[in-house]
Amino acid sequence: MSLQTPPAATAGSDLPAVTEKGSFLGYKMGEDSFVPPSVEEEEEEDGEKEKEKEKLPPILTASNTAAGGLERGAKSQFSTFSNFISTINQKKEAAGSSSSPTQLVIPNIKNVRDLPPICLDVRQKQRISIDTLPPEPKAPVPPESSLPIRTKTMKDFQEDMEKAKSSGDWKAVHDFYLTTFDSFLELNAAFKKDVSLPFSTIEDSGINAKFVNAVYDALLNTPQDIQKSVLKGIINGLLQEWKGPRTKDDLRAYCILLQNPQFSNTSTYVIYAHLLRQIATLAEADHHFLAHWFKKISQRRFKQLVDRLLQFISLRLFPAKPEEFPPMIKCTWWIPSATKVLALFNAANSLANPAIIPYMDFYNSTLDHIDLMEEYHNWQCYGNSHRFSFCQYPFIISIAAKKVIIQRDSEQQMISMARQSLVDKVSRRQRPDMNMLFLNLKVRRMHLVSDSLDELTRKRADLKKKLKVTFVGEAGLDMGGLTKEWFLLLIRQIFHPDYGMFTYHKDSHCHWFSSYKCDNYSEFRLVGALMGLAVYNSITLDIRFPPCCYKKLLSPPIVPCDQNTPVGISDVSLDDLCHIIPELAHGLSELLSYEDNVEEDFYSTFQVFQEEFGVIKSYNLKPGGDKIPVTAQNRKEYVQLYVDFILNKSIYKQFAAFYYGFHSVCDSYALMLLRPEEVEILVCGSPELDMYALQRNTQYDGYLKTDLTIRYFWEVVLGFPLDLQKKLLHFTTGSDRVPVGGMADLNFKISKSETSTNWLPVAHTCFNQLCLPPYKSKKELKQKLIIGISNAEGFGLE
């Protein structure tokens, strides 16, 4: 197998790989230290010495053409991985070329230091142009031999470790590590539960996980020569050439090697990168097995593996010591390889139910500091081929970074719309008006819903412009406050139970679409447009939809060109129903687990009954459903059809209008980057509160943060239980959730109220402002604040 990599030295390595003759990747070993060898001079080419080039080892394999996919067609020829390591393992000479070099030539580390510094923009541009992984060339090899017999157990190994620690004689431990990590076959012989069984299913990897964990937990506490032996053995395994598809034993070896804690050290990153590349370029069927095997790893170790990959990507993007790694142009495949392996762990996390770790743990905050729009445009231009982009793997991009992409994409669309309006005005020789650059809505408070619907319908072409709201008959300039007030009032009115559009379920504390049939679903389109405008204009809405609503909203994430294609239809389950109507979900779950006669005891058919305006109507879940009894044999089908009817079919027209309304504003390809949970956070904010962050970012008007009243206030608020803290946030901002950017984006302000201290605090939700009288005691402030936040409803008290 030929892998493309530059030969690189890593100074100060703690965990070096050791050669047969006592040299470590070009470093000569002393007893207590590593002595760098002298670097060979550059060869003359065509009679002229190339001082700026590094001398590379000669290519020994049959195929001496470098794999494609380097940085924008870089012309430099780099050695393959097998060439890079060939002099390390002298045993390979007999099977390889007779002209193998006797000494590995390592580029002087100073040559790396002398490269011009890579500024942020240049680094991003180089990284953006990383191509997708090139295919690995395969070379014919002898057939794989059967597994050797190894009898050492975990107990034997632990006893050897205890003896070594007490006596100082590490020979038995050293021999075990040297033998076990010498090849993929030895790894399987040591860690396979039963070498006589194939273990070729996705459900059981056949790996003795406890033994693997014990060996790795002990590894970092062993002498350096043992750790070097392990790295040398890994190199030997990676050097093996393959013929045909990988066996399950090979996949087991990859799974075991990936868990090596030595790869947390940057000095091992060259070896780690090649391991990741080999895993990344496996066949799709092999990835399928690995993903299922990964989900069996314990939560703690799974998290460690994910963090290790994220750290590898971060340090390759922004190395603390650039001289530790080869130049970026020579290892452009490092990041794509690591990201693809990380995608396998993300797939494993999705397969597990419940998830092993939260999806947020896959976020890499380092990516918040790169040129995200270049990533996004690169992805738009090339899709999932030709060039690597982090947007191909959106699970690694944080919600904050995705919000930046969506906002900038929105701004560009807003600017484009405004520019087009300006051009149209000028082309018609009309005088330009600044109002043409905005989506200007004029509404009457007494006719808020109808006026808003009319305005949005009439100005459908301007939805992507910046929103400004004017209340008819009221003087006021919209600097953001009127827009937020419009959202608050409109949402409160539309979601009121008396309005009939949505049903509020007290058990789940969420709204769901009314299944009542009507002739016009335009108001559902209005609600969808409101949510889209909120995302577009960075407004957090106080809406409580269940998670499956956002899953349906992304089904599909881009509006299909064919208007006959169904939209808003997603795969739903009993868990989705439980988030809306938990009592009904519990009843259906009881039906699935019922052990007696289902047909006689339940006496149900494939039929659903619903009340509509006082009339009970029946609907068949399948053709002739009223005549098909529910039995133990077909009850799973009945439950699935029932759930699908409640969450999809019964509200299809309502949700389709809602879907088209949302996407009439947010029709960006950036939506394809989002998970349903992330759409909810963009619309409604995050439920995670950090009141200390709110304290740090609060502004004051009439008060100083050192004033006694302010000190009393924060002592009281920080001592509140979570429910009261949420009530305070809802009282002052209109929502008990936090914007994606955190408390800093709230622009929370405390103003001094000159009213009597007998008055309760007052809030201006449109401006996230709390007006606080100068209470004389902490007890009085706490009492008045609790009364105010616990009894406020809308713009007054209950």
Side-chain angles (χ1 to χ4, degrees):
M1 179 173 54
S2 177
L3 294 178
Q4 188 172 335
T5 183
T10 51
S13 175
D14 294 329
L15 303 174
V18 186
T19 67
E20 295 276 331
K21 297 185 179 180
S23 65
F24 145 62
L25 300 188
Y27 282 83
K28 298 177 182 177
M29 288 178 46
E31 292 183 0
D32 300 317
S33 62
F34 299 111
V35 181
S38 60
V39 181
E40 294 185 12
E41 297 293 326
E42 304 288 306
E43 293 183 342
E44 294 187 5
E45 185 173 321
D46 297 330
E48 185 176 359
K49 194 173 183 180
E50 296 183 6
K51 295 183 179 180
E52 300 300 325
K53 282 190 174 182
E54 302 165 353
K55 180 181 177 183
L56 301 179
I59 297 176
L60 307 176
T61 57
S63 174
N64 59 2
T65 57
L70 277 183
E71 180 86 17
R72 296 194 177 175
K75 296 180 180 179
S76 302
Q77 296 294 321
F78 305 117
S79 68
T80 62
F81 183 45
S82 53
N83 298 332
F84 175 48
I85 306 296
S86 59
T87 57
I88 294 177
N89 192 348
Q90 300 298 327
K91 293 180 180 179
K92 298 285 180 178
E93 291 182 357
S97 172
S98 60
S99 61
S100 176
T102 57
Q103 181 179 2
L104 179 65
V105 180
I106 300 296
N108 193 335
I109 198 70
K110 292 181 180 180
N111 293 340
V112 178
R113 295 175 189 266
D114 292 339
L115 289 174
I118 301 177
C119 67
L120 181 60
D121 292 339
V122 175
R123 182 185 293 116
Q124 289 165 3
K125 189 173 182 180
Q126 290 177 343
R127 182 181 49 71
I128 288 298
S129 62
I130 297 174
D131 291 343
T132 54
L133 295 173
E136 289 187 71
K138 302 292 191 300
V141 294
E144 185 177 85
S145 58
S146 59
L147 295 181
I149 303 299
R150 299 289 178 244
T151 58
K152 188 177 288 274
T153 64
M154 183 173 71
K155 184 178 180 181
D156 296 335
F157 170 77
Q158 290 172 334
E159 289 175 354
D160 288 345
M161 282 294 299
E162 292 300 322
K163 291 178 183 177
K165 289 179 181 179
S166 59
S167 66
D169 182 5
W170 291 89
K171 185 177 185 308
V173 175
H174 184 277
D175 290 344
F176 170 79
Y177 278 109
L178 185 64
T179 303
T180 300
F181 287 89
D182 184 61
S183 68
F184 282 16
L185 292 178
E186 290 288 354
L187 282 169
N188 279 274
F191 297 121
K192 200 172 179 180
K193 294 176 184 176
D194 188 340
V195 294
S196 64
L197 298 178
F199 291 106
S200 57
T201 68
I202 61 176
E203 298 304 325
D204 188 358
S205 65
I207 298 173
N208 187 340
K210 290 184 179 179
F211 196 5
V212 173
N213 295 340
V215 169
Y216 278 145
D217 289 343
L219 178 58
L220 297 184
N221 296 320
T222 61
Q224 285 290 306
D225 59 336
I226 295 179
Q227 299 184 36
K228 298 166 193 172
S229 298
V230 170
L231 290 176
K232 173 199 164 184
I234 294 175
I235 293 172
N236 289 339
L238 296 179
L239 279 172
Q240 180 180 355
E241 297 287 348
W242 303 95
K243 181 174 68 174
R246 303 290 200 269
T247 66
K248 297 301 177 288
D249 284 341
D250 300 331
L251 300 185
R252 261 183 289 276
Y254 284 131
C255 191
I256 293 168
L257 291 178
L258 202 57
Q259 301 178 56
N260 189 339
Q262 291 176 293
F263 293 137
S264 293
N265 193 308
T266 56
S267 64
T268 65
Y269 272 13
V270 172
I271 304 172
Y272 189 36
H274 286 286
L275 172 62
L276 296 176
R277 182 176 191 173
Q278 290 198 15
I279 296 174
T281 52
L282 290 171
E284 186 177 347
D286 295 333
H287 285 161
H288 183 72
F289 272 86
L290 286 177
H292 279 275
W293 289 354
F294 288 161
K295 74 177 183 180
K296 302 297 178 66
I297 299 174
S298 69
Q299 181 185 31
R300 181 175 67 87
R301 295 182 188 277
F302 189 94
K303 179 73 164 61
Q304 288 174 349
L305 293 172
V306 170
D307 289 344
R308 189 176 300 151
L309 285 163
L310 291 173
Q311 175 183 287
F312 177 86
I313 293 170
S314 298
L315 291 179
R316 179 62 277 190
L317 282 173
F318 303 108
K321 297 178 180 179
E323 65 274 9
E324 285 189 327
F325 307 127
M328 176 70 84
I329 195 172
K330 295 185 178 182
C331 55
T332 54
W333 47 269
W334 280 30
I335 290 174
S337 297
T339 307
K340 192 166 186 178
V341 175
L342 190 63
L344 295 179
F345 282 93
N346 181 62
N349 197 53
S350 300
L351 288 170
N353 189 17
I356 304 170
I357 58 177
Y359 69 89
M360 294 86 73
D361 287 353
F362 285 90
Y363 288 164
N364 191 331
S365 57
T366 305
L367 304 186
D368 296 357
H369 306 287
I370 67 175
D371 190 341
L372 294 169
M373 291 312 294
E374 189 171 357
E375 286 282 339
Y376 178 63
H377 292 144
N378 199 47
W379 172 62
Q380 281 187 304
C381 293
Y382 296 102
N384 291 328
S385 61
H386 302 297
R387 293 193 182 278
F388 171 81
S389 168
F390 284 111
C391 291
Q392 297 167 355
Y393 304 92
F395 63 85
I396 198 175
I397 305 175
S398 70
I399 180 63
K402 290 173 183 174
K403 181 184 178 183
V404 170
I405 292 175
I406 291 174
Q407 283 185 330
R408 291 184 182 175
D409 189 47
S410 302
E411 289 169 1
Q412 290 175 2
Q413 292 188 42
M414 287 179 182
I415 292 171
S416 177
M417 292 295 298
R419 183 185 294 118
Q420 186 60 46
S421 297
L422 183 61
V423 170
D424 291 344
K425 280 277 189 180
V426 173
S427 64
R428 291 195 296 266
R429 298 188 178 184
Q430 296 177 349
R431 184 175 181 179
D433 183 2
M434 285 302 295
N435 288 326
M436 63 184 291
L437 303 178
F438 299 94
L439 169 59
N440 294 286
L441 301 183
K442 294 183 179 181
V443 295
R444 297 168 293 176
R445 289 186 182 271
M446 298 301 295
H447 303 85
L448 193 62
V449 175
S450 58
D451 283 2
S452 299
L453 181 60
D454 291 342
E455 284 282 270
L456 291 176
T457 302
R458 188 165 54 88
K459 300 179 179 178
R460 188 175 300 175
D462 296 335
L463 293 179
K464 293 180 181 179
K465 296 179 182 178
K466 185 69 176 176
L467 177 62
K468 285 190 177 296
V469 176
T470 302
F471 287 97
V472 176
E474 300 179 17
L477 183 63
D478 186 7
M479 302 301 291
L482 294 179
T483 295
K484 186 174 181 181
E485 182 183 2
W486 175 72
F487 274 111
L488 289 171
L489 293 174
L490 199 54
I491 290 297
R492 185 174 290 121
Q493 187 168 334
I494 288 175
F495 282 86
H496 195 281
D498 293 343
Y499 208 74
M501 288 179 63
F502 298 93
T503 302
Y504 182 72
H505 297 275
K506 293 183 178 180
D507 292 339
S508 57
H509 305 289
C510 71
H511 290 93
W512 191 241
F513 295 78
S514 171
S515 60
Y516 294 164
K517 304 297 184 292
C518 60
D519 297 329
N520 189 352
Y521 296 96
S522 57
E523 290 184 345
F524 287 100
R525 189 180 181 101
L526 169 63
V527 179
L530 279 177
M531 282 182 54
L533 286 170
V535 172
Y536 226 56
N537 291 272
S538 300
I539 300 291
T540 301
L541 299 181
D542 186 26
I543 294 179
R544 292 294 179 268
F545 280 133
C548 74
C549 173
Y550 301 98
K551 183 164 61 173
K552 288 165 64 67
L553 203 55
L554 294 179
S555 300
I558 301 299
V559 177
C561 298
D562 185 359
Q563 295 183 354
N564 295 321
T565 303
V567 297
I569 300 292
S570 66
D571 294 331
V572 290
S573 66
L574 209 53
D575 290 337
D576 293 316
L577 183 63
C578 189
H579 285 109
I580 307 172
I581 317 174
E583 186 177 357
L584 175 59
H586 178 73
L588 293 175
S589 180
E590 289 289 320
L591 170 62
L592 291 175
S593 60
Y594 193 70
E595 296 180 355
D596 292 335
N597 193 311
V598 173
E599 184 175 357
E600 292 183 2
D601 295 347
F602 281 86
Y603 199 68
S604 298
T605 60
F606 277 67
Q607 199 173 30
V608 173
F609 298 91
Q610 284 191 335
E611 180 184 351
E612 296 181 11
F613 302 106
V615 178
I616 302 296
K617 291 188 177 182
S618 62
Y619 298 92
N620 288 341
L621 296 178
K622 58 190 299 187
D626 57 327
K627 297 179 177 61
I628 304 175
V630 178
T631 65
Q633 289 72 35
N634 62 18
R635 56 185 171 181
K636 286 186 179 179
E637 180 190 10
Y638 169 77
V639 169
Q640 183 56 44
L641 291 174
Y642 198 120
V643 173
D644 183 66
F645 178 83
I646 296 294
L647 302 183
N648 283 326
K649 293 181 179 176
S650 67
I651 60 162
Y652 176 75
K653 292 184 178 179
Q654 295 89 323
F655 197 91
F658 174 78
Y659 172 93
Y660 283 118
F662 179 81
H663 287 273
S664 67
V665 184
C666 291
D667 60 348
S668 169
Y669 280 98
L671 288 179
M672 297 177 69
L673 305 177
L674 297 175
R675 295 171 57 97
E677 301 92 334
E678 293 171 330
V679 178
E680 180 180 10
I681 291 174
L682 284 176
V683 173
C684 307
S686 170
E688 302 296 328
L689 301 188
D690 184 353
M691 302 308 286
Y692 290 97
L694 182 64
Q695 181 184 16
R696 289 192 300 271
N697 292 281
T698 297
Q699 304 170 24
Y700 301 97
D701 180 14
Y703 282 118
L704 298 176
K705 64 180 180 180
T706 55
D707 288 347
L708 194 59
T709 302
I710 298 301
R711 284 158 49 196
Y712 285 157
F713 174 82
W714 287 115
E715 287 175 10
V716 168
V717 170
L718 295 176
F720 274 165
L722 181 60
D723 63 324
L724 283 180
Q725 290 179 345
K726 287 189 172 185
K727 286 182 177 180
L728 171 65
L729 204 62
H730 192 279
F731 176 71
T732 53
T733 69
S735 173
D736 61 3
R737 295 196 170 201
V738 184
V740 172
M743 291 294 190
D745 281 3
L746 271 180
N747 296 319
F748 183 67
K749 179 186 285 188
I750 299 179
S751 299
K752 189 172 185 178
S753 175
E754 301 298 341
T755 58
S756 168
T757 55
N758 294 327
W759 284 61
L760 297 175
V762 176
H764 299 294
T765 55
C766 301
F767 300 100
N768 300 337
Q769 184 178 14
L770 177 67
C771 297
L772 192 67
Y775 298 114
K776 301 301 181 184
S777 69
K778 180 178 175 181
K779 181 179 179 181
E780 182 184 15
L781 185 148
K782 182 177 181 179
Q783 181 184 17
K784 296 288 176 62
L785 186 60
I786 291 177
I787 293 174
I789 66 178
S790 300
N791 297 280
E793 178 66 25
F795 295 88
L797 296 177
E798 289 183 324

